[in-house]
Amino acid sequence: MKRAHHQAFPSAPRIGTICKPAPFDYDEEAIREREACNYSQKITLEMARAGKAPRAVRVYADGIYDLFHQGHARQLMQAKNLFPNVYLIVGVNSDAMTHERKGRTVMTEDERYEAVRHCRYVDEVITACPWTLDDEFLEKHKIDFVAHDDIPYTTGSATDVYAHIKARGMFVSTERTEGVSTSDVVSRIVKDYDVYVRRNLARGYSAKELNVSYINEKKYRLQNKIDDLKKKGKEMFEDIEGKRTDLIMKWEEKSREFIDAFLMLFGRDGRLTQYLTEKKDSVMMALSPPSSPKAGSQSSEDCSSPPAKTSRFDFSGRAGASLVDDDYSDDDDEEPESH
């Protein structure tokens, strides 16, 4: 029915913990609450605003609430906080009435009922509520005020459906939340139709469920595969880049360790320098050739004269040497005998 998108008013304190959805108007809890209300005690707008109402103020808001979004929730929050003590009743239009008066919905009526009754600001939900409110409906549900934005709401006629409510002083305006509506959400889906079809095909929906032709299904599936390949390629390159960065970091770390080790060993104050300094004399002696022996201990005569020549058979030192000499020695000075 009416588009309900509004900005928030300051929130009034709530008592208790919300642990279950709001009841429908035909549920026992809602019936007890309605029967306990003394509707003969009429509450004026001044009394309600001043917080002087003798009972809870029953405020009614209605709408289609298709694709329930934050604009809907803000409208209901405003309605709940119009007065200090509000019992908020929300009417939701049926599928039949909505399709006749405004157009097709995305969600079914049961889905829309459930969405609204799970909103924290709602105290009671009226299903299949009327498009135009009459006195009988107001009396049946003991409604004190009706909340909606102040823009005249007309559907196919020049008459504001809230005109008689305003005339009775029962209308309280709320503010619209601009920039968000069910129509806006639907427009986003239609604008990116291909994207959402491919999304649902990838999630297991059939072409028949999405009302897509065979050729378009193959086209969308091919596009999905191409996107998957692009994604995997991007992830692969990102992985390679990450590994390359990690490798460079490790190389820098190892190179610093190598430089430190090199300087520790070969640097000016390194271990090798200290070792060479400490062992300099030993190293020099090891690397230098040995000196030649001195000849001063021998006499010049011994050094210059060769050793004495001896006979091949020298028996001078043996016993009987003189006999040998007398018998067998050749005398070069004796002349041979003449015969």
Side-chain angles (χ1 to χ4, degrees):
M1 187 177 171
K2 301 88 181 171
R3 286 171 54 182
H5 324 133
H6 309 276
Q7 295 178 354
F9 287 152
S11 246
R14 291 174 62 86
I15 301 174
T17 301
I18 301 173
C19 57
K20 59 182 179 179
F24 292 115
D25 64 300
Y26 49 78
D27 289 337
E28 184 180 349
E29 181 181 348
I31 294 172
R32 283 200 308 266
E33 179 69 27
R34 186 165 54 250
E35 290 177 349
C37 172
N38 184 4
Y39 197 57
S40 62
Q41 295 177 317
K42 296 300 179 182
I43 300 175
T44 64
L45 188 59
E46 291 74 17
M47 291 171 58
R49 285 177 175 170
K52 296 181 179 179
R55 54 176 174 79
V57 182
R58 294 172 68 87
V59 176
Y60 175 81
D62 60 1
I64 299 170
Y65 302 108
D66 193 21
L67 297 176
F68 193 88
H69 52 73
Q70 72 268 30
H72 297 141
R74 288 179 179 177
Q75 182 237 359
L76 299 179
M77 181 179 70
Q78 290 181 77
K80 179 67 176 178
N81 292 283
L82 283 171
F83 312 114
N85 184 19
V86 170
Y87 182 84
L88 181 59
I89 307 166
V90 180
V92 183
N93 301 117
S94 66
D95 284 348
M97 182 172 290
T98 303
H99 297 167
E100 178 188 349
R101 297 294 186 98
K102 195 167 184 180
R104 187 174 181 82
T105 59
V106 177
M107 301 170 67
T108 66
E109 59 184 27
D110 290 332
E111 291 170 338
R112 293 184 287 113
Y113 299 155
E114 287 298 318
V116 172
R117 72 190 295 240
H118 283 82
C119 177
R120 61 182 295 186
Y121 310 112
V122 179
D123 296 304
E124 181 182 323
V125 173
I126 299 176
T127 60
C129 70
W131 195 262
T132 302
L133 306 180
D134 55 21
D135 292 342
E136 182 183 355
F137 181 83
L138 297 175
E139 292 286 338
K140 176 182 177 181
H141 295 283
K142 299 182 178 181
I143 295 171
D144 296 311
F145 299 99
V146 177
H148 201 271
D149 62 79
D150 203 19
I151 300 173
Y153 193 84
T154 59
T155 52
S157 66
T159 306
D160 182 5
V161 296
Y162 296 109
H164 70 291
I165 303 293
K166 293 176 180 178
R168 291 182 58 179
M170 298 177 64
F171 185 86
V172 184
S173 64
T174 54
E175 296 180 11
R176 298 171 64 88
T177 301
E178 298 299 334
V180 58
S181 68
T182 300
S183 298
D184 293 335
V185 176
V186 172
S187 296
R188 295 178 202 172
I189 298 172
V190 173
K191 179 182 177 182
D192 296 321
Y193 170 78
D194 288 358
V195 174
Y196 291 109
V197 171
R198 289 167 53 191
R199 168 183 178 270
N200 281 7
L201 284 173
R203 294 192 174 189
Y205 286 85
S206 67
K208 183 178 180 180
E209 289 174 315
L210 298 174
N211 196 27
V212 174
S213 67
Y214 176 82
I215 295 176
N216 283 336
E217 178 194 5
K218 298 305 177 185
K219 180 185 73 174
Y220 293 139
R221 291 193 185 280
L222 178 60
Q223 289 174 338
N224 283 343
K225 289 183 179 180
I226 292 173
D227 287 348
D228 288 341
L229 289 174
K230 288 181 180 179
K231 182 180 178 181
K232 289 179 181 178
K234 183 179 179 181
E235 291 175 352
M236 182 182 69
F237 280 114
E238 289 177 350
D239 185 57
I240 292 173
E241 182 66 21
K243 289 182 179 179
R244 187 177 73 87
T245 304
D246 185 56
L247 182 61
I248 291 174
M249 292 178 63
K250 288 182 178 179
W251 168 250
E252 290 178 349
E253 182 180 350
K254 292 296 182 183
S255 63
R256 285 194 295 268
E257 293 178 1
F258 176 77
I259 292 171
D260 292 342
F262 182 86
L263 293 175
M264 186 178 294
L265 183 60
F266 297 102
R268 184 174 181 182
D269 298 325
R271 294 178 180 177
L272 184 59
T273 303
Q274 294 177 1
Y275 177 78
L276 292 176
T277 303
E278 294 174 357
K279 303 296 183 178
K280 182 177 180 180
D281 293 340
S282 300
V283 171
M284 292 302 295
M285 289 180 64
L287 296 178
S288 299
S291 59
S292 301
K294 297 181 180 180
S297 58
Q298 297 181 356
S299 63
S300 57
E301 182 179 356
D302 294 337
C303 293
S304 58
S305 300
K309 184 177 181 181
T310 59
S311 173
R312 184 175 180 183
F313 301 100
D314 187 3
F315 299 100
S316 58
R318 299 182 181 177
S322 58
L323 294 177
V324 176
D325 291 342
D326 290 343
D327 294 343
Y328 303 97
S329 63
D330 293 334
D331 189 358
D332 295 336
D333 295 338
E334 184 179 358
E335 295 181 2
E337 292 182 356
S338 60
H339 294 278

